[in-house]
Amino acid sequence: MRIVLCGGAGYIGGHAAVVLAQRGHEVAIVDNLSNSSARAVERLGEVAGMPFEFHHLDIRDAAAMDRMFALRPVDAVMHFAALKAVGESCEKPLDYFDNNIGGSIALLQAMRRAGVRRLVFSSSATVYGDPERVPVTEDARLQVSNPYGRTKLVVEELIGDLCRAQADFRAANLRYFNPVGAHESGLIGEAPGGIPNNLMPYICQVAVGRRPELSVFGGDWPTVDGTGVRDYIHVMDLARAHADALDYLVREDRNLTVNLGTGRGVSVLELVQAFAEASGREIPYRIVGRRDGDVAEVFADPSLAQRLLGWRAELDVRAMCRDAWRWQSANPDDYAD
Ligand code: NAD
Ligand code: WQD
């Protein structure tokens, strides 16, 4: 199939591009490089063994999107393109509404004009907010507590309405839990600009000497060791799920909303310990106050994805830490030369 990956130069889209190319699909990457780089696109080509078709454009640019879709018939779009920093979304909600919601509407319109009727959307466990119980199933109450999360929920709802209105439109909402790790080559990985918001890239930067210590946000949560518990999932397992979800849309001709996680909760201190073992580096940390908006414990019930897609996460926390470290130690400044 010819598949367009919007936001495909980024962390998760890039890993998905590699997996899709390995499965024999023709991949075209569309990205405005607002949170990625031309160098990352080059590296993706190195990993895949040949350069990717790349379109440097914004999904909100209707004319450019029409030109891109007109090149060759497209079988499906995977939509990774979004801003994703929760804190920033509270400061600049309009930027998030414009890019994430406006961008998605513009993309759906461009797909409609081009007659493309399959979509795989990067949603997030953030749509569950502070879940009433764990593991979280897909029918749990949806509730969001910040503008970023709202954009994910709204776009899921817009896609749902579109599926109801357009009989032949098929979509998969993939609710990612906490993606971490990197391709085993060490050539590509997560490259947060500035101070990392997320735990694993922060740990990586401490390990490589870019930051003195990790701040652990809260040691008094009602969890196994008082620190926050999450469902970390290896980005290569996640990437594989995208290929499987697209196969499902084609094979079953039905829409899909699934959790993508391992089903296992891991605390901050457990992840720090696993990373120290995998890297052989000490990770100095200090327990500080809770971060606004955080919750104690979130992990997935991933059984629906297993039932519908035949997919399950295969890589454990050791592999996540090993591969994150291989990437960061070989590229201490991410994609910078
Ligand atoms: P990322 O920032 O690395 O990748 C997103 C890519 O989209 C970037 O390359 C960016 O340049 C591009 N982009 C953004 N707006 C664009 C626009 N208007 N037009 C064209 N390109 C645009 O982030 P990621 O971690 O790879 O996340 C991918 C998707 O998964 C996002 O939608 C994110 O919200 C979602 N998600 C991420 C996580 C996570 O923890 N990383 C968890 C759940 C969901
Ligand atoms: C994990 C744990 C922190 C950093 C966020 C978004 C969510 C999704 C994934 C996109 C928590 C603790 C973190 C640090 C720490 N993104 N922590 N020190 O909060 O589960 O989810 O990313 O959809 O929407 O909210 O992930 O990696 O930020 O935090 O102690 O420097 O690590 O308190 O317990 P989170 P995270």
Side-chain angles (χ1 to χ4, degrees):
M1 284 185 269
R2 177 169 166 80
I3 308 167
V4 168
L5 268 57
C6 296
Y11 171 49
I12 300 167
H15 285 80
V18 168
V19 167
L20 292 166
Q22 272 162 356
R23 287 212 191 171
H25 295 297
E26 181 184 306
V27 173
I29 293 175
V30 166
D31 204 296
N32 66 0
L33 303 185
S34 60
N35 196 38
S36 49
S37 63
R39 183 127 178 82
V41 180
E42 266 173 44
R43 287 283 186 89
L44 292 174
E46 277 179 51
V47 176
M50 68 173 170
F52 281 99
E53 177 184 330
F54 175 58
H55 302 272
H56 184 188
L57 57 90
D58 193 297
I59 56 171
R60 291 164 295 184
D61 182 341
M65 288 296 280
D66 285 348
R67 284 195 294 276
M68 186 276 303
F69 277 123
L71 292 174
R72 310 240 263 111
V74 170
D75 298 288
V77 167
M78 294 196 182
H79 177 25
F80 303 91
L83 302 174
K84 62 164 183 177
V86 171
E88 184 187 58
S89 81
C90 298
E91 287 154 26
K92 302 176 183 171
L94 286 174
D95 289 359
Y96 277 68
F97 301 155
D98 181 25
N99 196 76
N100 296 6
I101 301 177
S104 297
I105 294 171
L107 172 60
L108 291 167
Q109 287 170 326
M111 288 174 66
R112 189 178 175 92
R113 288 192 298 274
V116 183
R117 51 172 210 87
R118 292 189 195 100
L119 175 72
V120 176
F121 173 60
S122 299
S123 188
S124 168
T126 195
V127 298
Y128 300 119
D130 188 359
E132 279 159 2
R133 60 186 86 80
V134 287
V136 188
T137 50
E138 288 80 357
D139 57 6
R141 187 157 59 95
L142 303 181
Q143 39 157 356
V144 292
S145 55
N146 58 71
Y148 166 73
R150 188 170 315 285
T151 68
K152 291 294 165 190
L153 187 53
V154 167
V155 174
E156 275 201 14
E157 287 169 344
L158 298 179
I159 291 169
D161 285 345
L162 188 61
C163 289
R164 280 182 283 279
Q166 191 182 324
D168 66 348
F169 192 82
R170 295 288 169 268
N173 294 310
L174 304 184
R175 294 178 178 161
Y176 313 159
F177 278 66
N178 291 62
V180 296
H183 187 267
E184 62 177 10
S185 64
L187 286 168
I188 57 172
E190 188 166 9
I195 301 169
N197 297 302
N198 297 115
L199 178 61
M200 182 65 109
Y202 207 106
I203 292 176
C204 284
Q205 292 192 7
V206 172
V208 85
R210 280 167 71 179
R211 305 201 181 269
E213 66 177 13
L214 171 73
S215 297
V216 174
F217 298 141
D220 56 354
W221 293 100
T223 61
V224 58
D225 58 14
T227 65
V229 165
R230 296 291 183 275
D231 188 338
Y232 298 95
I233 173 172
H234 196 295
V235 69
M236 290 304 290
D237 276 331
L238 189 59
R240 187 164 47 82
H242 289 72
D244 294 342
L246 179 55
D247 288 347
Y248 177 91
L249 295 185
V250 173
R251 182 180 71 238
E252 304 290 333
D253 203 23
R254 292 168 68 109
N255 301 314
L256 176 73
T257 296
V258 286
N259 289 339
L260 295 175
T262 63
R264 181 168 171 237
V266 172
S267 77
V268 174
L269 292 183
E270 285 167 347
L271 192 68
V272 166
Q273 176 65 28
F275 195 95
E277 282 166 19
S279 64
R281 298 278 173 109
E282 200 193 329
I283 312 296
Y285 69 83
R286 183 195 310 266
I287 296 186
V288 300
R290 293 180 176 188
R291 180 173 66 178
D292 262 4
D294 262 353
V295 300
E297 191 164 41
V298 185
F299 56 94
D301 178 339
S303 56
L304 186 64
Q306 169 145 30
R307 209 161 65 241
L308 297 181
L309 307 180
W311 172 93
R312 62 182 295 178
E314 286 167 2
L315 297 165
D316 62 10
V317 173
R318 271 176 59 163
M320 299 177 208
C321 294
R322 178 197 67 207
D323 293 338
W325 177 237
R326 190 183 292 112
W327 150 253
Q328 191 72 87
S329 54
N331 303 273
D333 295 313
D334 303 336
Y335 291 108
D337 286 317

